[in-house]
Amino acid sequence: MRVGVPKEIKTHEYRVGLVPGSVRELAHHGHEVIVETGAGRGIGVDDGAYSQAGARIVATAAEVFAAAEMIVKVKEPQPAEIALLRPGQVLFTYLHLAADRALTDGLMQRGIAGIAYETVTDARGGLPLLAPMSEVAGRMAVQVGAHYLEKEQGGIGILLGGVPGVPAAKVVVLGGGVAGSNATRIAVGMEAQVTVIDRSLARLKELDDLFGPRLQTVFSTMENIEGEVATADLVVSTVLIPGAAAPKLIRRELVRRMRPGSVIVDVAIDQGGSAETSRPTSHAAPVYVEEGVIHYCVTNMPGAVARTSAIALNNATLPFVLALADKGWRQALSDDPHLRGGLNLLDGQITYPAVAAAFGLPHQKPAF
């Protein structure tokens, strides 16, 4: 199979779909890999490393899209890239369609097979291709939240861990999944007062066993969310419904009750965000103030630590990329129900129920 790797063009996105080690594996399996020049520059990898791994370097994204049967990316295609896709081509990347009707319509019109990293599953019901970036985003969320709590950044001027005689900041984490547990780990390590809210008692028990008295766990109800968020210095929202739009758990009235200069980091922004006041931002302009509260809503948070993120992502995606290339995408999807769960679009139809439900559209179950 001919596999294409274009350079990412989303604002301040430095990750790359395939690192040289992954290219070498594909070449070893007999596949041709076409890489756009400069695709690895953001992670400190030059064209020579890709050539040595067996890739063919081309000058433009148009050449990559024209030559490849499967495109492997990191972020959803931008308008200029959508125009380069063609019917029957496979697109394997993060899509997050439920938060973006224009993107969904554009990809449906191209007639591609759109396989989304974020809805591929595993035998335990997890999301193995979302997990690495959720780990990164969760850990980053507390780091950036602590930064924007500083007075010179517009924050309230509070040190996350406090000092003797001065209370630590209160951090509230919504969601105890992969991103939430990683955010908790960093916040606890920085000696903040940390509360995790989740609707799974089993998950709360696991976190309680892991962190002990350093962590407060709270069952998720609207009353509990309102009570904890209103008094928080930093809120990290990680709530996820696979493939669907994020639920709006933080109402505008609740944001209005928060202390001016406090911070919300909405990790769920890729799926539309879980605060009514959240709207997508980029690394070029990561924050804005709404109702007196600083909002950090960058849709590609892990892109800021591109080298770590790209390698971690490739560790997870490579087995699936190899399966799609070795078997052909139809056979690979037929053989693996977990990979088949990643199929969101096919031949102009939505195939993932949660995406269809987000827009009130029908979905078509794939015939394999």
Side-chain angles (χ1 to χ4, degrees):
M1 180 181 281
R2 295 185 302 280
V3 180
V5 184
K7 182 179 179 181
E8 297 291 327
I9 60 173
K10 187 166 185 171
T11 303
H12 287 282
E13 180 53 70
Y14 303 108
R15 291 172 290 179
V16 62
L18 295 176
V19 298
S22 298
V23 171
R24 184 174 178 181
E25 290 298 311
L26 282 161
H28 179 70
H29 282 239
H31 305 292
E32 181 183 2
V33 184
I34 306 101
V35 176
E36 182 183 356
T37 183
R41 191 174 299 136
I43 63 168
V45 176
D46 61 20
D47 291 347
Y50 280 101
S51 295
Q52 290 175 10
R56 174 162 64 93
I57 308 299
V58 297
T60 65
E63 293 174 80
V64 173
F65 280 83
E69 299 165 86
M70 176 168 66
I71 299 294
V72 179
K73 283 177 44 60
V74 177
K75 291 304 293 179
E76 73 281 355
Q78 304 303 291
E81 295 172 312
I82 293 174
L84 297 174
L85 291 163
R86 63 179 185 274
Q89 200 167 36
V90 179
L91 174 64
F92 194 30
T93 189
Y94 287 116
L95 288 174
H96 298 292
L97 296 176
D100 194 333
R101 178 63 185 267
L103 171 65
T104 304
D105 288 343
L107 293 179
M108 288 172 65
Q109 291 169 10
R110 304 310 294 176
I112 62 161
I115 306 173
Y117 292 159
E118 71 271 11
T119 61
V120 173
T121 60
D122 62 24
R124 296 175 296 176
L127 302 171
L129 306 190
L130 187 62
M133 298 304 94
S134 295
E135 291 169 351
V136 172
R139 296 185 184 205
M140 278 189 65
V142 176
Q143 179 177 304
V144 299
H147 177 64
Y148 285 104
L149 282 172
E150 296 173 7
K151 193 65 177 179
E152 65 181 37
Q153 301 301 322
I156 197 169
I158 188 170
L159 182 66
L160 211 63
V163 294
V166 182
K170 178 177 178 179
V171 177
V172 173
V173 180
L174 296 181
V178 176
S181 61
N182 276 271
T184 299
R185 175 178 177 176
I186 300 303
V188 167
M190 295 178 73
E191 301 184 353
Q193 303 175 51
V194 187
T195 299
V196 174
I197 302 177
D198 198 278
R199 64 182 180 181
S200 168
L201 287 175
R203 184 56 180 155
L204 292 177
K205 184 180 186 306
E206 291 172 351
L207 293 170
D208 183 74
D209 290 342
L210 183 61
F211 294 106
R214 296 176 294 170
L215 176 67
Q216 176 176 307
T217 57
V218 174
F219 183 71
S220 182
T221 64
M222 291 311 298
E223 180 179 32
N224 287 339
I225 291 171
E226 289 172 2
E228 295 296 334
V229 168
T231 57
D233 299 300
L234 169 60
V235 176
V236 177
S237 181
T238 68
V239 177
L240 172 70
I241 300 174
K248 299 298 183 186
L249 299 180
I250 305 173
R251 302 295 184 184
R252 178 174 289 275
E253 309 86 71
L254 179 55
V255 176
R256 196 175 293 133
R257 289 167 53 195
M258 294 175 67
R259 187 160 44 170
S262 54
V263 177
I264 293 174
V265 178
D266 201 338
V267 179
I269 194 64
D270 273 324
Q271 294 295 123
S274 54
E276 283 187 341
T277 47
S278 290
R279 59 178 183 268
T281 62
S282 71
H283 288 295
V287 298
Y288 60 90
V289 177
E290 192 81 23
E291 303 293 356
V293 175
I294 298 171
H295 290 60
Y296 181 99
C297 302
V298 175
T299 55
N300 59 330
M301 285 179 65
V305 286
R307 187 175 179 88
T308 296
S309 297
I311 295 170
L313 180 60
N314 270 241
N315 290 344
T317 58
L318 180 59
F320 295 99
V321 172
L322 287 172
L324 290 164
D326 288 348
K327 298 179 178 182
W329 67 271
R330 288 185 180 275
Q331 189 62 51
L333 294 180
S334 178
D335 290 349
D336 186 349
H338 301 297
L339 180 56
R340 190 162 64 247
L343 186 66
N344 281 213
L345 299 169
L346 180 62
D347 298 333
Q349 301 291 322
I350 297 174
T351 57
Y352 198 80
V355 172
F359 305 122
L361 296 174
H363 79 277
Q364 180 69 45
K365 186 177 181 180
F368 45 73

